[in-house]
C-alpha cells in the first residue's frame, strides 16, 4: 500500500491476509511467501472491511460492495475475488458489517458520517431500518457471533447495542453498586 492501512484481516487458516488502505486499494497477501497475490482498485479511500465465511463487505465512501472469495471454497483454485453487488448509499458510510447467517433474507448494517446506523437487505439494497442515537459519526459496527445483536461505536464516545430483530429479548444490563460503594460495574443478566 502507498498510504495508511486502515484494516487487515486474516483468512484461509491464517495463510492469507486481506488489507484495505486510504490509497483506495484492497490487497490480498500470502502470509507464507509474503507476496501480494491480488489487488482491487476502488474509486476512493476504503474505510472498513468485514469478512464472513467466503464473503467480504467493503466500505468506500458512498459505496458498499459485497464480494465473494471463491478460492476459499474451492481449495485455492479459481479466481480470488468476484464482485457480487455494489450498493450506492445515500450518504458517506464509515463502516459496515455483514450478518453472520448465510440464509435468506440476509442483511448488513452500516454506520454513517451523519451519525446514523442503517440496516440493509443484501438481496435488493433496500434500507430496512435507520436509527439515530449517536451524536457523532459512527466509525465501527459489528454483529455478535450469533447475529442477534450488533454494536456500533461513535466519535461521541459511546457504544450502542442494537437488536437484529426489534422486540426480541436478548439481555438486560443493570448497574449494580460495587462492594465499596464507590465502584460500580455493569452486570449482564439474561431474561
Amino acid at each position: 500500500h502507498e498510504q495508511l492501512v486502515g484494516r487487515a484481516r486474516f483468512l484461509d487458516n491464517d495463510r492469507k491476509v486481506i488489507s484495505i488502505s486510504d490509497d483506495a486499494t484492497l490487497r490480498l497477501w500470502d502470509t507464507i511467501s509474503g507476496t501480494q497475490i491480488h489487488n482491487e482498485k476502488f474509486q476512493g479511500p476504503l474505510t472498513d472491511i468485514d469478512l464472513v465465511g467466503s464473503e467480504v463487505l467493503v466500505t468506500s465512501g458512498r459505496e458498499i460492495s459485497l464480494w465473494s472469495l471463491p478460492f476459499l471454497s474451492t481449495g485455492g483454485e479459481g479466481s480470488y475475488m468476484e464482485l457480487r453487488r455494489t450498493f450506492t448509499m445515500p450518504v458517506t458510510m464509515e463502516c459496515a458489517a455483514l450478518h453472520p447467517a448465510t440464509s435468506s433474507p440476509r442483511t448488513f448494517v452500516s454506520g454513517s458520517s451523519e451519525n446514523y446506523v442503517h440496516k440493509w437487505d443484501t438481496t435488493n439494497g433496500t434500507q430496512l431500518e435507520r436509527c439515530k442515537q449517536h451524536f457523532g459519526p459512527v466509525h465501527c459496527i459489528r454483529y455478535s457471533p450469533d447475529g442477534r445483536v450488533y454494536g456500533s461505536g461513535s466519535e461521541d464516545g459511546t457504544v450502542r447495542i442494537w437488536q437484529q430483530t426489534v422486540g426480541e429479548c436478548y439481555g438486560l444490563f443493570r448497574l449494580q453498586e460495587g462492594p465499596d460503594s464507590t465502584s460500580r460495574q455493569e452486570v449482564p443478566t439474561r431474561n
Side-chain angles (χ1 to χ4, degrees):
H1 292 289
E2 297 173 10
Q3 294 182 23
L4 171 79
V5 174
R7 304 269 192 284
R9 302 280 308 269
F10 281 96
L11 60 146
D12 194 21
N13 293 320
D14 298 339
R15 293 182 297 217
K16 309 278 188 301
V17 170
I18 192 166
S19 59
I20 61 170
S21 171
D22 284 353
D23 65 8
T25 62
L26 176 149
R27 298 175 191 243
L28 184 62
W29 307 88
D30 182 299
T31 59
I32 296 173
S33 68
T35 60
Q36 175 185 296
I37 55 176
H38 188 77
N39 182 358
E40 290 288 339
K41 182 76 173 159
F42 290 78
Q43 295 296 316
L46 305 179
T47 55
D48 199 12
I49 187 170
D50 191 31
L51 179 65
V52 176
S54 63
E55 294 179 304
V56 174
L57 197 63
V58 181
T59 308
S60 177
R62 291 184 57 187
E63 287 191 347
I64 295 177
S65 53
L66 180 60
W67 297 76
S68 64
L69 304 171
F71 76 95
L72 288 177
S73 57
T74 61
E77 300 300 316
S79 62
Y80 286 107
M81 293 185 69
E82 293 176 359
L83 180 62
R84 290 190 42 217
R85 183 169 179 116
T86 298
F87 306 94
T88 302
M89 303 286 112
V91 296
T92 299
M93 294 295 163
E94 300 289 329
C95 53
L98 189 59
H99 192 276
T102 56
S103 59
S104 191
R106 186 123 185 241
T107 59
F108 70 92
V109 290
S110 62
S112 75
S113 59
E114 316 256 318
N115 312 349
Y116 283 93
V117 170
H118 308 260
K119 188 190 309 180
W120 309 89
D121 184 321
T122 59
T123 309
N124 55 23
T126 302
Q127 181 172 271
L128 303 173
E129 293 177 19
R130 180 175 160 227
C131 304
K132 185 174 183 179
Q133 292 293 318
H134 288 292
F135 297 99
V138 179
H139 291 293
C140 59
I141 195 163
R142 285 295 178 265
Y143 274 100
S144 63
D146 65 7
R148 292 177 64 193
V149 297
Y150 51 94
S152 59
S154 170
E155 200 169 287
D156 66 9
T158 62
V159 173
R160 297 198 177 270
I161 305 297
W162 308 85
Q163 295 173 315
Q164 173 70 6
T165 304
V166 176
E168 180 181 294
C169 184
Y170 187 76
L172 174 65
F173 292 86
R174 293 190 177 139
L175 187 64
Q176 296 184 350
E177 295 293 325
D180 63 2
S181 77
T182 60
S183 66
R184 294 177 177 216
Q185 69 185 80
E186 296 283 334
V187 178
T189 57
R190 298 281 292 173
N191 289 346

